[in-house]
Amino acid sequence: MKRIVIGLILGIFCFPVCGVTGQLEPMGDVPIPKGNLQTTEKVELGKKLFFDRRLSGDGTMSCATCHDPKQSYSDGLEISLNYPTTRNWRNSPTIINAAFQLYLFHDGRAASLEEQALFPMMSAFEMNQNLDFMEEEIRSVPEYVEEFTTVFGDPDITRDRIAMAIAAFERSLISGDALLDRLLRGDESALSPEARQGYEIFIGKGKCADCHYGSKLADDRFHALQVEENPEHLKDPRIAATRRFVAKVSHFENYRTLAEDPGRFLITKDAKDWKAFRTPSLREIAGTAPYMHNGIYATLAEVIEFFNAGGGKSNTALKPLQLTAAEKKQLEIFLEEGLTGATTTFSYPKIP
Ligand code: HEC
Ligand code: HEC
């Protein structure tokens, strides 16, 4: 009863973005903020900026370096790429369907794509760019001046408008029409028999839909599953520097001795959020290995093994599932076959 009431309340307030607990839904419409309406020209401009290496301090990296269309808009690495001489500390998530996220980043530190876009540009270990300088670099390109005028009505090029155009481009990266969508819209034969059994495990015995539900298969919450640390964190002093730097700018008191990723705690300073991470969307999951905030699992089979064992050491969020070998395989087949959207052709922009 309590669950139904909570479900109803959540359903009323955030439908259709979050969905009702435990219930899967087909892909819905992309939420577009009133202050940044989509136009074809804006999306095209954002696409150019997304691939433009002027956005990084040394001109070697664009957003697409770590969110590569050829890697399902991720970079295929455990721990993402980095600005030269530094190292990143987390796995690069796909940008596909990021438009549906209520919280961005593994710890949810950004609330909109507009806000998010400036973080990597400023980040010392990602693009390490000076935003005042970047504005002047973009302003010095006549084609950009022309395009900003078309899109925003005047030639002013600001960091905020750059972020708005990039966000508009990201909102065009949506993966609909996966086999799961067809099933949920009533096509009972959309999935292969094995994937269909995997789907039943996903919403039943596997309890996956307790957290992975709605149309994006995520609950907009943070859970401490106690995924083990990536050993690279212990070995590489450059990662230690990054970790301590992020903790320091997040006003984490003991940042100098911090030896692990505190997750959501960095943002809320609430003990219950210690090592909690956002439930990721599972759409496009077949193409975005390795998995988890630190890329510790190379395959979906390893992730399923983790959940089947009841999660990491002394976590309280999960319980062992006792899935048989056949059930684990069916679940894997469902994740692999059911959640990938229809392929669309992609053309690279010509950078002015
Ligand atoms: C050097 C690699 C790198 C570059 C360059 C980079 N990113 Fe990222 N991106 C990451 C990593 C790593 C994360 C996750 C960080 C975290 O959660 O703390 C991330 C997270 C994101 C997210 C959040 C996705 C989600 O599901 O929460 C978005 C959106 C995003 N990046 C967009 C961009 C844009 C736009 C640019 C260019 C302005 C960019 N990124 C440049 C590595 C990179
Ligand atoms: C209590 C909530 C919860 C339940 C139940 C749950 N998950 Fe998750 N899942 C999460 C969170 C949180 C993460 C991110 C953990 C991290 O990054 O450290 C995650 C991560 C994942 C990932 C990796 C995604 C990526 O992009 O890296 C997969 C795959 C996944 N879950 C599948 C499943 C399956 C299959 C089940 C059922 C057997 C399941 N989950 C049950 C909360 C949950």
Side-chain angles (χ1 to χ4, degrees), residues 248-265:
K248 183 185 192 174
V249 297
S250 308
H251 310 290
F252 180 90
E253 219 174 303
N254 300 320
Y255 71 88
R256 284 194 184 172
T257 50
L258 182 64
E260 54 197 326
D261 187 338
R264 181 73 177 156
F265 180 87

Side-chain angles (χ1 to χ4, degrees), residues 63 66-67 81 90 93 95 104-106 116 120 126 170 278:
C63 307
C66 305
H67 304 288
L81 288 164
R90 287 177 176 163
I95 306 300
L104 292 152
F105 289 129
H106 296 291
Q116 190 282 332
E126 288 183 342
E170 291 173 313
R278 184 195 63 186

